[in-house]
């Protein structure tokens, strides 16, 4: 991606990299074709399969642009041949582009290609001053070329899929780590439950967060989550640099379509410039409350007050907590079933998840995968439900999602790997975007580890400026 900038085929060339590649039934979702527009209803792009002779523009390093005329036949003038080979090293000529486009537009993904070109055909080449010169087939390098891609007209819709790694700097308690996670340290004998329920939870700790268990006896779940509920209400944990980076994708860039977060901590709600309609809590949120039976929403402040006065503290840290727990009753239906709006095991996914994905995914140009193992369905289905023209950037400590089709090889044509801790890689990209001053404005609202990381980066910038 260091030479010619072609407005459609840099993403279109990624068409063969969208298979699931998984034998796990959990990872299977609807066929991708369900999310592509019917060719009779989609906007008509200027370049159709029978019109490969349409002119497209190729941009060189210095911002000079030239018409690369694509022909159906093998005839080309000597001057055109010379022009195709005279660009910077690695530049693809018009003959190469014609072969690529002709092949793609006759493939099974032709509808997605045409829809992509229809969305992007109106961008003005005069606005390309900040666009990274694009060359097939390599995806943008991180962070420099990715920053250029974010600014470019080719990137209009960004979706973020986030997991626990996004919040790790906040210090939120871990549930699954061996020996120290809440599940491993849980003592069922402290829960308000029958002997049978305690034994079942001892054998399988996740039953304390099971929907069937909650409807029979809501107290184990509320006792287990009491400290988390009250900590969320008190903003005991703070939004990280990763949260703030996503906020800037909206407030500074204006291209964030949606944040799909698998976290239930509600930290994204602390980002004042990130509208709630931009957030989909895939597994619900600890920052809201509702009745599990009738779904009536409860005032969160009132709910937390009742948790404090009605639910005992199994950690023994709160001297003011009651000695015995009593259920919290729904004011709308009278059921003892009010809880945070998190999705319990064997519970239904939020309706918003299905509605928003159907609306958002077909238009996505970049999927950012941040701090997640991509092992939990259906959230991981976003990886292969996006269009084949969509780039994917994995911001993670480990390479994840291979079984879902993510390609980390040097032959990758749509996947970019930003290796590292979520806060670190988000800060790297934010710096390339020129957003350090915006992050500095909220440094007092960051958790200490995030704030220290930002201070170090700001000091490095001052040192560089002084040299």
């Amino acid at each position: 991606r260091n030479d010619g900038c072609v407005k459609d085929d840099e993403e279109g060339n990624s068409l063969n990299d969208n298979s699931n590649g998984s034998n796990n039934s959990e990872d299977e979702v609807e066929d991708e074709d369900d999310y592509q527009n019917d060719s009779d209803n989609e906007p008509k792009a200027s370049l159709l399969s029978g019109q490969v002779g349409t002119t497209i523009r190729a941009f060189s390093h210095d911002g000079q642009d030239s018409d690369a005329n694509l022909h159906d036949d093998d005839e080309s003038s000597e001057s055109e041949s010379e022009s195709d080979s005279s660009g910077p090293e690695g530049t693809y000529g018009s003959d190469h582009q014609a072969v690529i486009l002709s092949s793609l537009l006759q493939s099974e993904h032709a509808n997605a290609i045409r829809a992509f070109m229809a969305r992007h055909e109106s961008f003005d080449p005069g606005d390309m001053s900040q666009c990274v010169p694009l060359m097939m087939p390599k995806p943008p390098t991180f962070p420099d070329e990715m920053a250029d891609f974010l600014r470019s007209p080719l990137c209009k819709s960004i979706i973020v899929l986030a997991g626990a790694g996004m919040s790790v700097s906040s210090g939120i308690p871990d549930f699954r780590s061996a020996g120290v996670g809440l599940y491993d340290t849980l003592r069922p004998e402290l829960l308000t439950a029958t002997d049978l329920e305690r034994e079942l939870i001892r054998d399988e700790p996740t039953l304390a967060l099971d929907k069937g268990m909650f409807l029979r006896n809501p107290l184990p779940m509320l006792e287990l989550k009491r400290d988390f509920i009250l900590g969320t209400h008190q903003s005991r944990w703070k939004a990280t640099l990763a949260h703030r980076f996503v906020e800037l994708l909206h407030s500074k860039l204006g291209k964030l379509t949606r944040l799909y977060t698998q976290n239930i901590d509600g930290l994204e709600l602390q980002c004042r410039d990130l509208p709630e309609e931009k957030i989909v809590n895939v597994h619900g949120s600890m920052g809201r409350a509702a009745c599990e039976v009738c779904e009536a929403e409860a005032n969160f402040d009132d709910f937390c007050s009742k948790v404090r006065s009605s639910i005992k503290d199994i950690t023994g840290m709160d001297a003011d907590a009651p000695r015995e727990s009593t259920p919290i009753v729904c004011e709308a239906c009278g059921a003892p079933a009010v809880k945070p709006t998190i999705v319990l095991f064997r519970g239904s996914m939020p309706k918003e998840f299905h509605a928003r994905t159907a609306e958002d995914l077909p238009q996505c140009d970049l999927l950012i995968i941040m701090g997640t193992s991509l092992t939990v369905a259906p959230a991981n289905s976003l990886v292969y439900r996006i269009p084949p023209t969509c780039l994917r950037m994995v911001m993670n400590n480990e390479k994840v999602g291979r079984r879902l089709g993510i390609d980390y090889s040097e032959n990758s044509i749509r996947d970019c790997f930003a290796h590292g801790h979520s806060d670190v890689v988000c800060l790297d990209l934010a710096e390339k975007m020129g957003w350090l001053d915006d992050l500095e404005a909220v440094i007092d609202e960051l958790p200490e580890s995030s704030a220290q990381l930002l201070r170090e980066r700001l000091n490095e910038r001052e040192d560089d400026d002084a040299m």
Side-chain angles (χ1 to χ4, degrees):
R1 252 179 225 266
N2 296 321
D3 298 293
C5 177
V6 182
K7 77 172 181 180
D8 45 31
D9 55 347
E10 63 103 8
E11 316 240 0
N13 197 32
S14 62
L15 300 182
N16 295 323
D17 185 31
N18 69 327
S19 62
N20 182 353
S22 172
N23 295 322
N24 190 335
S25 61
E26 275 191 341
D27 294 333
E28 296 178 0
V29 296
E30 305 167 57
D31 190 272
E32 181 183 355
D33 291 341
D34 293 340
Y35 296 93
Q36 296 177 355
N37 294 330
D38 186 274
S39 59
D40 294 334
N41 298 323
E42 68 183 27
K44 299 300 181 182
S46 59
L47 183 62
L48 302 178
S49 56
Q51 299 173 327
V52 183
T54 300
T55 296
I56 62 175
R57 288 191 179 276
F59 293 86
S60 62
H61 273 302
D62 57 6
Q64 303 284 328
D65 61 290
S66 60
D67 288 342
N69 294 307
L70 307 182
H71 300 282
D72 288 318
D73 53 36
D74 295 329
E75 298 178 2
S76 61
S77 67
E78 182 178 351
S79 61
E80 286 173 326
S81 298
E82 293 175 357
S83 174
D84 289 341
S85 60
S86 62
E89 182 180 355
T91 301
Y92 290 111
S94 61
D95 288 342
H96 180 81
Q97 294 162 346
V99 171
I100 292 287
L101 289 172
S102 178
S103 173
L104 297 182
L105 288 167
Q106 295 176 40
S107 74
E108 60 182 299
H109 304 291
N111 287 349
I113 299 293
R114 292 170 188 158
F116 173 82
M117 290 190 294
R119 296 201 308 275
H120 293 279
E121 68 174 350
S122 61
F123 77 80
D124 181 4
D127 292 336
M128 298 297 288
S129 59
Q130 292 183 311
C131 178
V132 59
L134 302 171
M135 182 188 76
M136 295 163 53
K138 296 297 183 184
T141 58
F142 182 86
D144 297 85
E145 289 182 0
M146 183 55 72
D148 289 334
F149 176 73
L150 289 179
R151 298 186 189 101
S152 79
L154 292 172
C155 181
K156 294 185 176 181
S157 173
I158 300 171
I159 291 175
V160 177
L161 174 61
M166 186 185 203
S167 298
V168 69
S169 297
S170 68
I172 288 179
D174 185 4
F175 272 68
R176 291 183 171 83
S177 293
V180 296
L182 185 56
Y183 291 146
D184 269 9
T185 58
L186 174 63
R187 297 172 58 191
E189 66 273 13
L190 298 179
L191 299 176
T192 303
T194 65
D195 291 341
L196 175 59
E197 289 170 343
R198 291 193 185 103
E199 287 305 312
L200 290 172
I201 293 172
R202 192 184 309 279
D203 290 341
E204 179 49 70
T206 60
L207 282 176
L209 303 178
D210 178 84
K211 180 174 180 176
M213 173 71 78
F214 179 81
L215 293 177
R216 286 193 303 271
N217 178 5
L219 297 179
M221 179 269 174
L222 292 174
E223 290 168 350
L224 187 63
K225 292 288 190 179
R226 182 183 192 272
D227 188 59
F228 201 169
I229 294 169
L230 298 181
T232 300
H233 185 240
Q234 297 161 356
S235 298
R236 189 182 307 166
W237 304 287
K238 298 180 179 180
T240 66
L241 279 172
H243 290 94
R244 298 298 180 176
F245 173 77
V246 174
E247 181 182 26
L248 291 171
L249 288 177
H250 171 69
S251 63
K252 295 288 289 186
L253 199 61
K255 296 184 179 183
L256 179 68
T257 296
R258 209 80 59 194
L259 164 62
Y260 289 85
T261 176
Q262 300 170 83
N263 301 328
I264 62 172
D265 51 45
L267 293 183
E268 63 280 348
L269 298 176
Q270 297 179 18
C271 299
R272 291 181 293 273
D273 291 332
L274 183 60
E276 288 193 28
E277 60 266 23
K278 291 288 184 180
I279 303 167
V280 172
N281 297 104
V282 180
H283 300 144
S285 173
M286 194 64 71
R288 300 183 180 91
C291 176
E292 186 70 9
V293 174
C294 72
E295 300 183 354
E297 189 168 352
N299 180 279
F300 190 62
D301 291 336
D302 293 344
F303 169 71
C304 290
S305 178
K306 292 175 181 177
V307 168
R308 186 175 290 105
S309 62
S310 302
I311 304 300
K312 72 179 184 181
D313 176 24
I314 60 174
T315 69
M317 300 295 291
D318 185 356
D320 296 327
R323 296 178 62 85
E324 295 184 359
S325 297
T326 54
I328 299 176
V329 176
C330 175
E331 294 181 359
C333 71
V338 182
K339 67 169 188 58
T341 57
I342 59 174
V343 177
L344 299 175
F345 289 101
R346 294 196 298 150
S348 300
M349 293 292 290
K351 296 175 183 177
E352 184 185 24
F353 173 78
H354 302 290
R356 291 296 195 185
T357 51
E359 173 188 341
D360 297 342
L361 297 185
Q363 308 300 321
C364 185
D365 297 313
L366 174 65
L367 175 66
I368 299 177
I369 300 159
M370 183 185 300
T372 173
S373 62
L374 291 180
T375 57
V376 179
N380 62 2
S381 69
L382 271 63
V383 170
Y384 51 88
R385 288 171 59 189
I386 51 174
T389 52
C390 179
L391 297 185
R392 300 181 294 208
M393 176 169 61
V394 179
M395 307 175 86
N396 223 44
N397 272 325
E398 299 177 349
K399 295 177 179 180
V400 297
R402 286 189 177 93
R403 294 173 61 208
L404 304 177
I406 297 179
D407 183 4
Y408 293 96
S409 74
E410 53 186 35
N411 298 320
S412 175
I413 53 180
R414 69 186 297 196
D415 297 318
C416 170
F417 183 41
H419 179 233
H421 186 284
S422 296
D423 268 11
V424 175
V425 291
C426 284
L427 185 57
D428 290 341
L429 190 48
E431 183 175 15
K432 294 299 179 182
M433 295 296 293
W435 294 345
L436 287 187
D437 290 338
D438 300 281
L439 293 174
E440 186 178 18
V442 296
I443 193 168
D444 292 335
E445 301 175 36
L446 295 172
E448 182 53 35
S449 61
S450 295
Q452 182 59 32
L453 184 63
L454 178 56
R455 289 189 199 100
E456 293 172 357
R457 190 64 59 90
L458 291 169
N459 290 336
E460 291 173 6
R461 184 180 66 171
E462 290 180 5
D463 293 341
D464 291 341
D465 291 344
M467 293 179 63

